[in-house]
Amino acid sequence: MRSFFLMFLSISFLGLGVAQADEQIPVESFLKRDSFGTMSLSPTGEYIAATIPQEDKTSLVILRRSDLTQTGHVTLPKNNHVGDFYWVNPNRILFTVGQKEGALNQPLGTGEIYGVNVDGKGQGVLIGFGAQSGLASQIKRDSNYVVAYMLDTLKDDDDNVIISTFKYGSEFTEAYRMNVNDGRRVVVAKAPVRRATLLTDRQSVVRFATGAGNDNLSKTYFRTDANSDWVLINDESETELAVTPIGFNADNTIAYLEKEEKQGPNGIYSFDLKTQKETLLIKDDDADPGRLLFSPVERSLYGVSFMDGYPRTEYLDPNNEYAKIEKRLSASFKDYSVASLGYTKDGMLGLFVVYGDKLAGDFYLYDKKTEKLSYLAGRSSWLKPESLSTMEPYKIEARDGTQMIGYLTVPKNSKGQNLPLIIHPHGGPFGPFDSWGYDPEVQMLANRGYAVLQVNFRGSGNYGRSFTRIGYKQWGKTMQDDLTDATKWAIREGIADPNRICIYGASYGGYASLMGVAKEPDLYKCAIGNVGVYDMQMMYGRGDIQGSESGENFLEDSLGRNDLAAISPNRLAANIKVPVLLMAGREDVRAPPAHTEAMYRALQSLGKPVEMKIYQGEGHGNYLVENQIDFANRVLSFLDKYIGPGSQNAKAN
């Protein structure tokens, strides 16, 4: 492990293998794992903990801050990833584990909490049943399996934390005070609702509970103290809006709630704990609240970030000393964004990440006493910002007047006109969204001469409940029209050569790509679908979403059961006129390869030009580097053939 880590340090700090600005950057440079995921300072600042992404796992290392030598580490089995990790005292970390059944999946928590000391000793599970031996989605859900989450690290108690747990079968959450060394615990609260998320106040008393039954409609409860009864303050089945408690003010008199609005993005409200009166604090015109900025010492809320094109922070208390620090640092990094990763307990040392469209992330240490900022490491320092392409946000109007945010990346040094264009829809579709920042795949495509347009079509997250919900039951309909309208916008603006446009996405984006060329057969010149779903009836019979009652209810609400053939690309293969490239993972349980094979058979039976590659042993996206390289080269070769500079569709610029 030490030699492995030193290898990453040599890459991070020496910047080996840097490509020149005008060179074609090797595919491998975009696919190389980041040197680090995220970092965190110990309470006294003596140590730094960092996650290290590997091919099919994520490890955790502990470094001595003074010389960045490794003092301890955690390495997990295949497909296991260190999830959240927490300093619970100056010498010990607790962490969760997630499992991914493919590179595109978000890690699914196994429900265990582990501990490790800064020297690597004292390592083991504190609560849970060692689910690392199997995939999280296959865990037997019975009354004996406990799922645990960190709730409160108890800033002034080095020996205990507050965790929340539930057992499959009952799914009613309980909160425990747990010893950080041996896992001994005692119950301190019980939630009044299933699948509850709990929130403690500044005195570590559980005061809020938000959960939902199989209908997926949330209920939020509040109580005045540890001995009081729970009071229902919001029922989504009645208000049609969700309420999420997010924190407390410094003197424990006010709670903060994020509330959905009937129209527009969510707002942050104050909730008076005595009168239970709510007051709007901040609400953006376009975007939901993002990062919440709390003072590391007296713990007041001083700022909220938003992603309304570019990242932006609004300061509720601009005179807060930590707000001033962040503003000064942000001013020092023009064209980049600066985010705090936390401070020491006394607030004198801070850890920051600087990131942008051309920078995956650089880590810096800030000394409040000397006001000195010191570089620590970079995520992908072998890629130099001056060699990469700029991403710019645009507002795009759909045919019915719906406003969308799109992000356009054009090749470096191009004039941004008459370019081969890739429409690149995101996955989900409900909840995920594209945002400004570094995207290695987009940068790879731009480096090869393609403009890339990412569109937050209706159904995407970040723009309020109403924007997400107007996408419900609109698969292949208005959600697809949004992508069509964005494509036509790029043509009108002169960005795209109308004879060289391809649509390419993964997961839902794969569906949208094939549906795009079925619904608009003359608009695109090719389509690429990766780990996509193409038969909507199959959605109810195969995959991991419909495996639970709540999952099936979600499909009923968001997809529906009416006229599924009319929105299934494999049933519309006769409409498709252009070449298609399909790829999938043989072990994918989110979008089983049966979808891809059905799409391939439908096109092949009609004599349509179609290629297919199923990667053995891979899930929802490729883990293995050799498969990622093969995938990228197939995509680039396909694009070059049909819309690239030497393609049959090319015309003089």
Side-chain angles (χ1 to χ4, degrees):
M1 177 67 194
R2 181 172 178 79
S3 62
F4 168 80
F5 180 68
L6 291 176
M7 177 188 72
F8 271 98
L9 281 184
S10 68
I11 293 172
S12 295
F13 290 95
L14 298 180
L16 299 179
V18 176
Q20 297 300 313
D22 294 330
E23 289 182 355
Q24 188 177 88
I25 300 172
V27 165
E28 291 81 358
S29 295
F30 293 108
L31 299 178
K32 189 183 297 184
R33 300 290 187 269
D34 287 346
S35 299
F36 300 97
T38 190
M39 295 184 175
S40 178
L41 277 170
S42 67
T44 60
E46 186 177 356
Y47 300 98
I48 297 172
T51 53
I52 295 184
Q54 296 172 250
E55 187 166 62
D56 56 4
K57 67 191 71 170
T58 301
S59 298
L60 178 71
V61 296
I62 301 102
L63 313 174
R64 184 177 289 106
R65 180 177 62 84
S66 60
D67 57 8
L68 294 179
T69 59
Q70 180 184 312
T71 63
H73 73 272
V74 173
T75 300
L76 300 176
K78 178 181 178 180
N79 296 338
N80 285 267
H81 302 260
V82 171
D84 296 323
F85 62 96
Y86 312 86
W87 286 99
V88 295
N89 61 48
N91 297 296
R92 189 158 175 80
I93 294 171
L94 300 192
F95 62 93
T96 62
V97 173
Q99 294 178 334
K100 294 173 66 173
E101 296 170 327
L104 297 179
N105 275 60
Q106 291 298 312
L108 178 63
T110 61
E112 301 153 314
I113 296 178
Y114 291 78
V116 63
N117 296 336
V118 294
D119 59 3
K121 298 179 181 178
Q123 187 175 151
V125 63
L126 294 173
I127 183 169
F129 293 99
Q132 291 183 32
S133 59
L135 290 173
S137 65
Q138 298 169 352
I139 292 170
K140 185 178 180 180
R141 296 187 174 186
D142 59 30
S143 59
N144 294 318
Y145 191 83
V146 177
V147 176
Y149 302 94
M150 182 66 71
L151 186 56
D152 191 328
T153 58
L154 300 181
K155 188 175 182 180
D156 298 318
D157 184 344
D158 286 349
D159 297 319
N160 297 284
V161 294
I162 305 293
I163 64 169
S164 63
T165 72
F166 71 84
K167 291 182 180 180
Y168 281 117
S170 68
E171 298 190 2
F172 279 90
T173 306
E174 295 180 322
Y176 290 85
R177 183 179 298 271
M178 184 181 76
N179 185 280
V180 300
N181 297 301
D182 58 24
R184 289 178 301 162
R185 54 192 183 272
V186 58
V187 66
V188 295
K190 295 184 178 181
V193 60
R194 296 177 64 195
R195 294 191 287 156
T197 299
L198 305 177
L199 182 68
T200 58
D201 66 11
R202 292 304 183 196
Q203 296 174 346
S204 299
V205 176
V206 178
R207 300 288 294 277
F208 286 96
T210 301
N214 289 330
D215 61 2
N216 299 316
L217 297 174
S218 70
K219 292 181 173 63
T220 298
Y221 291 82
F222 162 76
R223 62 179 185 171
T224 56
D225 56 49
N227 299 313
S228 299
D229 293 333
W230 290 102
V231 176
L232 181 64
I233 62 171
N234 184 74
D235 185 344
E236 188 181 358
S237 67
E238 296 180 359
T239 65
E240 297 184 349
L241 301 170
V243 173
T244 304
I246 54 176
F248 292 81
N249 69 343
D251 62 10
N252 219 36
T253 60
I254 296 292
Y256 301 112
L257 309 176
E258 180 172 343
K259 297 185 63 176
E260 292 182 337
E261 308 284 357
K262 291 188 180 298
Q263 295 294 327
N266 301 351
I268 300 292
Y269 287 75
S270 65
F271 179 84
D272 190 296
L273 297 179
K274 284 188 176 180
T275 66
Q276 299 185 30
K277 180 182 178 182
E278 297 176 3
T279 304
L280 177 65
L281 289 180
I282 189 168
K283 180 178 179 293
D284 189 65
D285 291 337
D286 299 310
D288 289 340
R291 196 166 50 98
L292 304 175
L293 308 178
F294 288 92
S295 169
V297 179
E298 45 88 12
R299 298 187 285 179
S300 62
L301 179 66
Y302 66 82
V304 181
S305 69
F306 299 92
M307 180 65 74
D308 58 351
Y310 294 110
R312 172 178 55 84
T313 300
E314 293 292 331
Y315 294 100
L316 299 173
D317 180 8
N319 294 319
N320 182 283
E321 58 182 325
Y322 295 98
K324 292 179 179 179
I325 289 171
E326 190 158 326
K327 284 190 286 186
R328 287 200 304 271
L329 294 180
S330 295
S332 300
F333 290 95
K334 184 181 179 182
D335 299 328
Y336 295 102
S337 187
V338 178
S340 169
L341 296 177
Y343 283 79
T344 52
K345 186 176 179 180
D346 62 8
M348 296 305 293
L349 289 175
L351 192 61
F352 288 85
V353 62
V354 178
Y355 67 95
D357 52 351
K358 297 184 285 187
L359 182 66
D362 285 346
F363 297 97
Y364 289 84
L365 187 72
Y366 177 77
D367 188 318
K368 186 169 177 284
K369 182 178 180 180
T370 64
E371 298 187 351
K372 181 181 178 181
L373 190 69
S374 304
Y375 174 79
L376 289 173
R379 284 190 175 124
S380 300
S381 55
W382 54 88
L383 290 170
K384 293 303 180 184
E386 59 267 23
S387 301
L388 302 178
S389 298
T390 299
M391 173 187 283
E392 294 187 15
Y394 289 88
K395 286 191 175 181
I396 302 171
E397 186 173 296
R399 65 190 67 179
D400 63 357
T402 298
Q403 296 292 317
M404 302 178 289
I405 297 293
Y407 291 92
L408 178 68
T409 304
V410 300
K412 181 178 172 60
N413 297 326
S414 81
K415 296 180 180 180
Q417 294 286 292
N418 205 33
L419 293 166
L421 174 69
I422 298 165
I423 302 296
H424 197 40
H426 63 71
F430 305 109
F433 61 97
D434 288 315
S435 59
W436 183 85
Y438 175 73
D439 185 319
E441 184 173 48
V442 169
Q443 289 292 340
M444 179 184 71
L445 294 169
N447 181 253
R448 294 307 193 272
Y450 299 102
V452 182
L453 180 59
Q454 299 165 272
V455 184
N456 285 317
F457 46 84
R458 70 192 73 203
S460 303
N462 190 49
Y463 304 103
R465 178 189 180 99
S466 59
F467 189 82
T468 300
R469 294 302 177 102
I470 60 172
Y472 275 25
K473 298 182 180 178
Q474 292 300 310
W475 291 61
K477 300 175 184 176
T478 55
M479 281 201 298
Q480 196 67 45
D481 292 340
D482 287 347
L483 295 172
T484 300
D485 295 344
T487 306
K488 292 180 177 179
W489 168 86
I491 295 171
R492 287 197 305 272
E493 294 293 316
I495 298 163
D497 176 347
N499 293 308
R500 294 191 291 165
I501 304 175
C502 189
I503 183 166
Y504 158 44
S507 197
Y508 171 83
Y511 165 85
S513 297
L514 271 295
M515 195 66 198
V517 291
K519 191 171 183 177
E520 302 289 341
D522 298 316
L523 184 60
Y524 305 102
K525 301 305 176 184
C526 60
I528 303 174
N530 181 31
V531 295
V533 291
Y534 309 113
D535 187 319
M536 297 301 97
Q537 186 60 54
M538 194 186 298
M539 291 277 286
Y540 285 94
R542 299 195 185 190
D544 61 347
I545 297 176
Q546 45 73 39
S548 65
E549 186 177 346
S550 60
E552 185 157 352
N553 286 338
F554 175 74
L555 284 177
E556 293 276 5
D557 292 339
S558 62
L559 176 61
R561 287 188 181 271
N562 295 326
D563 300 322
L564 295 182
I567 57 169
S568 295
N570 69 316
R571 308 296 179 90
L572 304 173
N575 295 348
I576 297 175
K577 300 179 180 179
V578 300
V580 170
L581 174 61
L582 298 168
M583 287 176 282
R586 178 58 67 193
E587 308 303 321
D588 192 349
V589 298
R590 176 55 50 89
H595 281 276
T596 297
E597 291 166 333
M599 189 74 242
Y600 177 76
R601 288 193 302 269
L603 290 167
Q604 190 184 49
S605 67
L606 295 170
K608 306 284 185 174
V610 58
E611 304 171 35
M612 181 179 70
K613 172 66 176 178
I614 306 292
Y615 290 95
Q616 300 300 320
E618 298 282 13
H620 201 58
N622 293 334
Y623 267 137
L624 298 179
V625 171
E626 59 264 33
N627 288 340
Q628 292 188 348
I629 292 172
D630 180 82
F631 174 89
N633 285 329
R634 285 176 187 269
V635 168
L636 293 173
S637 176
F638 183 83
L639 292 172
D640 184 61
K641 182 177 181 180
Y642 294 110
I643 65 167
S647 76
Q648 61 193 34
N649 296 304
K651 67 179 183 179
N653 288 324

